[in-house]
Short mmCIF file of all heavy atoms in Angstrom, two decimals:
data_model
loop_
_atom_site.label_atom_id
_atom_site.label_comp_id
_atom_site.label_asym_id
_atom_site.label_seq_id
_atom_site.Cartn_x
_atom_site.Cartn_y
_atom_site.Cartn_z
N VAL A 5 8.57 9.59 7.31
CA VAL A 5 9.73 8.98 7.80
C VAL A 5 9.39 8.13 9.02
O VAL A 5 9.01 8.64 10.06
CB VAL A 5 10.85 9.96 8.17
CG1 VAL A 5 12.05 9.25 8.72
CG2 VAL A 5 11.19 10.83 6.96
N GLU A 6 9.53 6.78 8.83
CA GLU A 6 9.17 5.86 9.92
C GLU A 6 10.38 5.64 10.82
O GLU A 6 11.55 5.76 10.39
CB GLU A 6 8.73 4.51 9.37
CG GLU A 6 7.57 4.52 8.43
CD GLU A 6 7.97 4.67 6.97
OE1 GLU A 6 9.11 5.09 6.68
OE2 GLU A 6 7.13 4.30 6.07
N SER A 7 10.07 5.27 12.09
CA SER A 7 11.15 4.91 13.03
C SER A 7 10.55 3.96 14.08
O SER A 7 9.32 3.83 14.17
CB SER A 7 11.72 6.14 13.72
OG SER A 7 10.69 6.85 14.42
N GLY A 9 11.41 0.68 14.58
CA GLY A 9 11.49 -0.79 14.24
C GLY A 9 12.68 -1.50 14.96
O GLY A 9 13.43 -0.85 15.64
N GLY A 10 12.69 -2.82 14.82
CA GLY A 10 13.81 -3.55 15.42
C GLY A 10 13.41 -5.00 15.69
O GLY A 10 12.41 -5.47 15.22
N LEU A 18 5.88 -3.21 20.74
CA LEU A 18 6.73 -2.27 20.03
C LEU A 18 5.86 -1.13 19.50
O LEU A 18 4.70 -1.34 19.11
CB LEU A 18 7.41 -2.94 18.82
CG LEU A 18 8.66 -2.29 18.21
CD1 LEU A 18 9.78 -2.23 19.21
CD2 LEU A 18 9.11 -3.06 16.98
N LEU A 20 5.79 1.99 16.69
CA LEU A 20 6.31 2.62 15.51
C LEU A 20 5.86 4.06 15.45
O LEU A 20 4.73 4.40 15.86
CB LEU A 20 5.94 1.89 14.24
CG LEU A 20 6.25 0.41 14.15
CD1 LEU A 20 5.81 -0.16 12.80
CD2 LEU A 20 7.69 0.15 14.39
N SER A 21 6.69 4.94 14.88
CA SER A 21 6.32 6.33 14.66
C SER A 21 6.56 6.70 13.20
O SER A 21 7.38 6.09 12.54
CB SER A 21 7.18 7.24 15.56
OG SER A 21 7.01 6.94 16.94
N CYS A 22 5.84 7.71 12.79
CA CYS A 22 5.95 8.20 11.43
C CYS A 22 5.92 9.74 11.50
O CYS A 22 4.89 10.30 11.93
CB CYS A 22 4.94 7.69 10.52
SG CYS A 22 4.81 8.44 8.87
N ALA A 35 -2.33 5.82 7.34
CA ALA A 35 -2.45 4.38 7.38
C ALA A 35 -1.05 3.74 7.63
O ALA A 35 0.00 4.38 7.44
CB ALA A 35 -2.99 3.83 6.08
N TRP A 36 -1.08 2.48 8.05
CA TRP A 36 0.06 1.64 8.09
C TRP A 36 -0.19 0.44 7.20
O TRP A 36 -1.28 -0.18 7.28
CB TRP A 36 0.37 1.15 9.55
CG TRP A 36 0.88 2.24 10.46
CD1 TRP A 36 0.11 2.98 11.34
CD2 TRP A 36 2.19 2.66 10.59
NE1 TRP A 36 0.93 3.85 12.00
CE2 TRP A 36 2.23 3.69 11.60
CE3 TRP A 36 3.43 2.33 9.98
CZ2 TRP A 36 3.37 4.36 11.96
CZ3 TRP A 36 4.59 2.99 10.38
CH2 TRP A 36 4.55 3.98 11.35
N VAL A 37 0.80 0.09 6.38
CA VAL A 37 0.72 -1.06 5.51
C VAL A 37 2.00 -1.84 5.77
O VAL A 37 3.08 -1.25 5.94
CB VAL A 37 0.63 -0.64 4.07
CG1 VAL A 37 0.53 -1.89 3.13
CG2 VAL A 37 -0.56 0.27 3.81
N ARG A 38 1.93 -3.18 5.70
CA ARG A 38 3.09 -3.99 5.95
C ARG A 38 3.35 -4.98 4.83
O ARG A 38 2.45 -5.25 4.09
CB ARG A 38 3.03 -4.74 7.29
CG ARG A 38 2.00 -5.84 7.31
CD ARG A 38 1.94 -6.44 8.71
NE ARG A 38 0.97 -7.54 8.84
CZ ARG A 38 0.66 -8.20 9.97
NH1 ARG A 38 1.29 -7.86 11.08
NH2 ARG A 38 -0.26 -9.14 9.98
N GLN A 39 4.62 -5.43 4.81
CA GLN A 39 4.99 -6.35 3.74
C GLN A 39 5.99 -7.36 4.38
O GLN A 39 7.09 -6.99 4.73
CB GLN A 39 5.65 -5.65 2.62
CG GLN A 39 5.99 -6.53 1.35
CD GLN A 39 6.41 -5.71 0.21
OE1 GLN A 39 7.02 -4.63 0.29
NE2 GLN A 39 6.05 -6.19 -1.00
N ALA A 40 5.55 -8.60 4.54
CA ALA A 40 6.42 -9.60 5.05
C ALA A 40 7.54 -9.89 4.02
O ALA A 40 7.35 -9.65 2.79
CB ALA A 40 5.62 -10.90 5.30
N LEU A 45 1.61 -7.27 0.04
CA LEU A 45 1.31 -6.14 0.93
C LEU A 45 -0.01 -6.40 1.66
O LEU A 45 -0.93 -6.99 1.14
CB LEU A 45 1.11 -4.89 0.09
CG LEU A 45 2.36 -4.41 -0.65
CD1 LEU A 45 2.08 -3.55 -1.87
CD2 LEU A 45 3.30 -3.63 0.33
N GLU A 46 -0.03 -5.94 2.93
CA GLU A 46 -1.23 -6.09 3.76
C GLU A 46 -1.53 -4.73 4.46
O GLU A 46 -0.64 -4.20 5.11
CB GLU A 46 -1.05 -7.19 4.82
CG GLU A 46 -2.26 -7.36 5.73
CD GLU A 46 -2.06 -8.37 6.84
OE1 GLU A 46 -0.95 -8.68 7.15
OE2 GLU A 46 -3.09 -8.83 7.41
N TRP A 47 -2.72 -4.27 4.30
CA TRP A 47 -3.20 -3.08 4.93
C TRP A 47 -3.40 -3.38 6.42
O TRP A 47 -4.17 -4.23 6.73
CB TRP A 47 -4.43 -2.54 4.30
CG TRP A 47 -4.56 -1.07 4.41
CD1 TRP A 47 -4.93 -0.35 5.51
CD2 TRP A 47 -4.20 -0.11 3.38
NE1 TRP A 47 -4.87 0.99 5.23
CE2 TRP A 47 -4.45 1.19 3.89
CE3 TRP A 47 -3.79 -0.21 2.03
CZ2 TRP A 47 -4.24 2.29 3.19
CZ3 TRP A 47 -3.56 0.94 1.34
CH2 TRP A 47 -3.79 2.16 1.91
N VAL A 48 -2.73 -2.64 7.35
CA VAL A 48 -2.73 -2.96 8.76
C VAL A 48 -3.67 -2.08 9.54
O VAL A 48 -4.33 -2.54 10.49
CB VAL A 48 -1.33 -2.84 9.31
CG1 VAL A 48 -1.32 -2.94 10.84
CG2 VAL A 48 -0.39 -3.94 8.71
N ALA A 49 -3.77 -0.74 9.22
CA ALA A 49 -4.59 0.14 10.01
C ALA A 49 -4.78 1.43 9.24
O ALA A 49 -3.93 1.86 8.51
CB ALA A 49 -3.94 0.40 11.37
N VAL A 64 -4.99 -8.15 12.94
CA VAL A 64 -4.32 -7.32 13.97
C VAL A 64 -5.27 -6.73 14.98
O VAL A 64 -4.85 -6.13 15.96
CB VAL A 64 -3.42 -6.23 13.36
CG1 VAL A 64 -2.49 -6.85 12.34
CG2 VAL A 64 -4.29 -5.20 12.71
N ARG A 67 -4.85 -6.18 18.88
CA ARG A 67 -3.43 -6.23 19.21
C ARG A 67 -2.72 -4.93 18.85
O ARG A 67 -1.82 -4.48 19.48
CB ARG A 67 -2.72 -7.37 18.53
CG ARG A 67 -3.25 -8.75 18.93
CD ARG A 67 -2.37 -9.88 18.40
NE ARG A 67 -2.31 -9.86 16.96
CZ ARG A 67 -1.12 -9.72 16.28
NH1 ARG A 67 0.02 -9.65 16.90
NH2 ARG A 67 -1.11 -9.77 14.94
N PHE A 68 -3.12 -4.33 17.69
CA PHE A 68 -2.52 -3.14 17.18
C PHE A 68 -3.42 -1.92 17.39
O PHE A 68 -4.65 -2.07 17.31
CB PHE A 68 -2.23 -3.23 15.72
CG PHE A 68 -1.10 -4.19 15.34
CD1 PHE A 68 -0.59 -5.11 16.26
CD2 PHE A 68 -0.57 -4.19 14.08
CE1 PHE A 68 0.45 -5.95 15.93
CE2 PHE A 68 0.46 -5.03 13.70
CZ PHE A 68 0.98 -5.90 14.61
N LEU A 81 1.97 3.51 15.61
CA LEU A 81 1.36 2.20 15.61
C LEU A 81 1.87 1.42 16.79
O LEU A 81 3.06 1.12 16.85
CB LEU A 81 1.67 1.42 14.33
CG LEU A 81 1.00 0.06 14.21
CD1 LEU A 81 -0.53 0.26 14.07
CD2 LEU A 81 1.56 -0.76 13.06
N MET A 83 2.02 -1.82 18.77
CA MET A 83 1.86 -3.27 18.42
C MET A 83 2.09 -4.12 19.67
O MET A 83 3.17 -4.06 20.29
CB MET A 83 2.80 -3.69 17.33
CG MET A 83 2.65 -2.85 16.05
SD MET A 83 3.74 -3.40 14.74
CE MET A 83 5.33 -2.98 15.37
N LEU A 86 3.01 -9.40 20.03
CA LEU A 86 3.54 -9.63 18.69
C LEU A 86 3.80 -11.07 18.45
O LEU A 86 4.13 -11.86 19.37
CB LEU A 86 4.85 -8.86 18.54
CG LEU A 86 4.58 -7.35 18.28
CD1 LEU A 86 5.86 -6.53 18.47
CD2 LEU A 86 4.12 -7.14 16.82
N LYS A 87 3.59 -11.46 17.21
CA LYS A 87 3.74 -12.88 16.77
C LYS A 87 4.79 -12.89 15.65
O LYS A 87 5.08 -11.89 14.99
CB LYS A 87 2.44 -13.39 16.21
CG LYS A 87 1.25 -13.25 17.14
CD LYS A 87 -0.08 -13.70 16.43
CE LYS A 87 -1.26 -13.49 17.34
NZ LYS A 87 -2.50 -13.93 16.67
N SER A 88 5.34 -14.08 15.37
CA SER A 88 6.33 -14.20 14.33
C SER A 88 5.78 -13.76 12.96
O SER A 88 6.50 -13.21 12.16
CB SER A 88 6.82 -15.65 14.25
OG SER A 88 5.75 -16.51 14.00
N GLU A 89 4.52 -13.99 12.76
CA GLU A 89 3.90 -13.59 11.50
C GLU A 89 3.71 -12.06 11.37
O GLU A 89 3.29 -11.61 10.27
CB GLU A 89 2.56 -14.29 11.23
CG GLU A 89 1.58 -14.17 12.40
CD GLU A 89 1.57 -15.42 13.32
OE1 GLU A 89 2.68 -15.89 13.60
OE2 GLU A 89 0.49 -15.81 13.71
N ASP A 90 4.05 -11.32 12.36
CA ASP A 90 4.04 -9.86 12.28
C ASP A 90 5.34 -9.32 11.72
O ASP A 90 5.51 -8.12 11.48
CB ASP A 90 3.78 -9.22 13.64
CG ASP A 90 2.37 -9.57 14.16
OD1 ASP A 90 1.43 -9.54 13.38
OD2 ASP A 90 2.23 -9.80 15.41
N THR A 91 6.32 -10.21 11.56
CA THR A 91 7.63 -9.82 10.96
C THR A 91 7.36 -9.25 9.58
O THR A 91 6.83 -9.92 8.71
CB THR A 91 8.58 -11.04 10.92
OG1 THR A 91 8.92 -11.40 12.29
CG2 THR A 91 9.82 -10.62 10.18
N ALA A 92 7.77 -8.03 9.35
CA ALA A 92 7.54 -7.35 8.09
C ALA A 92 8.21 -5.96 8.08
O ALA A 92 8.62 -5.50 9.10
CB ALA A 92 6.02 -7.16 7.85
N THR A 93 8.25 -5.42 6.85
CA THR A 93 8.54 -3.99 6.75
C THR A 93 7.21 -3.21 6.88
O THR A 93 6.23 -3.57 6.22
CB THR A 93 9.18 -3.70 5.40
OG1 THR A 93 10.49 -4.30 5.36
CG2 THR A 93 9.38 -2.20 5.26
N TYR A 94 7.19 -2.24 7.75
CA TYR A 94 5.96 -1.49 8.01
C TYR A 94 6.13 -0.11 7.33
O TYR A 94 7.06 0.61 7.61
CB TYR A 94 5.72 -1.31 9.48
CG TYR A 94 5.18 -2.60 10.09
CD1 TYR A 94 6.02 -3.70 10.31
CD2 TYR A 94 3.84 -2.75 10.43
CE1 TYR A 94 5.56 -4.91 10.84
CE2 TYR A 94 3.35 -3.91 10.98
CZ TYR A 94 4.18 -5.00 11.17
OH TYR A 94 3.74 -6.19 11.70
N TYR A 95 5.15 0.23 6.51
CA TYR A 95 5.13 1.50 5.78
C TYR A 95 4.04 2.41 6.37
O TYR A 95 2.90 2.00 6.57
CB TYR A 95 4.85 1.29 4.32
CG TYR A 95 5.87 0.51 3.53
CD1 TYR A 95 5.69 -0.84 3.25
CD2 TYR A 95 7.05 1.12 3.06
CE1 TYR A 95 6.63 -1.53 2.51
CE2 TYR A 95 7.95 0.44 2.31
CZ TYR A 95 7.79 -0.94 2.06
OH TYR A 95 8.71 -1.62 1.31
N CYS A 96 4.44 3.66 6.52
CA CYS A 96 3.50 4.71 6.86
C CYS A 96 3.01 5.22 5.46
O CYS A 96 3.79 5.39 4.53
CB CYS A 96 4.21 5.81 7.60
SG CYS A 96 3.31 7.37 7.78
N ALA A 97 1.67 5.44 5.36
CA ALA A 97 1.16 5.92 4.07
C ALA A 97 0.08 6.93 4.25
O ALA A 97 -0.61 6.94 5.29
CB ALA A 97 0.62 4.72 3.28
N TRP A 110 4.00 7.15 0.34
CA TRP A 110 4.48 6.10 1.30
C TRP A 110 5.84 6.51 1.80
O TRP A 110 6.64 7.13 1.13
CB TRP A 110 4.63 4.75 0.58
CG TRP A 110 3.41 4.21 -0.07
CD1 TRP A 110 2.63 4.81 -1.03
CD2 TRP A 110 2.80 2.96 0.20
NE1 TRP A 110 1.59 3.95 -1.36
CE2 TRP A 110 1.68 2.82 -0.65
CE3 TRP A 110 3.11 1.88 1.06
CZ2 TRP A 110 0.85 1.68 -0.64
CZ3 TRP A 110 2.30 0.79 1.05
CH2 TRP A 110 1.21 0.66 0.19
N GLY A 111 6.12 6.10 3.09
CA GLY A 111 7.45 6.28 3.61
C GLY A 111 8.31 5.15 3.04
O GLY A 111 7.86 4.28 2.28
N GLN A 112 9.59 5.15 3.51
CA GLN A 112 10.52 4.09 3.05
C GLN A 112 10.42 2.83 3.79
O GLN A 112 11.01 1.82 3.38
CB GLN A 112 11.98 4.67 3.08
CG GLN A 112 12.28 5.62 1.97
CD GLN A 112 12.07 4.94 0.62
OE1 GLN A 112 12.70 3.96 0.25
NE2 GLN A 112 11.16 5.54 -0.18
N GLY A 113 9.71 2.90 4.88
CA GLY A 113 9.50 1.64 5.66
C GLY A 113 10.46 1.44 6.77
O GLY A 113 11.60 1.93 6.76
N VAL A 114 10.00 0.64 7.76
CA VAL A 114 10.82 0.28 8.91
C VAL A 114 10.62 -1.20 9.15
O VAL A 114 9.51 -1.74 9.12
CB VAL A 114 10.54 1.11 10.16
CG1 VAL A 114 9.08 0.88 10.62
CG2 VAL A 114 11.49 0.86 11.26
N MET A 115 11.72 -1.92 9.41
CA MET A 115 11.67 -3.36 9.57
C MET A 115 11.37 -3.76 11.03
O MET A 115 11.97 -3.18 11.94
CB MET A 115 12.98 -3.99 9.18
CG MET A 115 12.99 -5.49 9.20
SD MET A 115 11.90 -6.15 7.90
CE MET A 115 11.65 -7.79 8.50
N VAL A 116 10.43 -4.69 11.18
CA VAL A 116 10.11 -5.23 12.49
C VAL A 116 10.33 -6.74 12.41
O VAL A 116 9.76 -7.43 11.51
CB VAL A 116 8.67 -4.96 12.90
CG1 VAL A 116 8.29 -5.73 14.19
CG2 VAL A 116 8.42 -3.46 13.06
N THR A 117 11.19 -7.25 13.25
CA THR A 117 11.43 -8.67 13.32
C THR A 117 10.98 -9.25 14.64
O THR A 117 11.45 -8.78 15.69
CB THR A 117 12.94 -8.99 13.10
OG1 THR A 117 13.35 -8.43 11.89
CG2 THR A 117 13.18 -10.50 13.10
N VAL A 118 10.07 -10.21 14.59
CA VAL A 118 9.59 -10.86 15.85
C VAL A 118 10.22 -12.26 15.96
O VAL A 118 9.86 -13.12 15.16
CB VAL A 118 8.06 -10.95 15.88
CG1 VAL A 118 7.57 -11.48 17.19
CG2 VAL A 118 7.45 -9.52 15.62
#
Side-chain angles (χ1 to χ4, degrees):
Chain A
V5 179
E6 304 93 339
S7 61
L18 197 65
L20 305 182
S21 300
C22 171
W36 290 96
V37 181
R38 69 183 179 184
Q39 186 170 34
L45 295 157
E46 180 185 18
W47 208 281
V48 170
V64 306
R67 299 190 299 123
F68 288 14
L81 184 69
M83 304 183 291
L86 283 163
K87 307 175 182 179
S88 58
E89 51 262 43
D90 296 319
T91 294
T93 296
Y94 285 74
Y95 295 100
C96 169
W110 300 59
Q112 282 305 299
V114 63
M115 184 68 200
V116 173
T117 302
V118 183

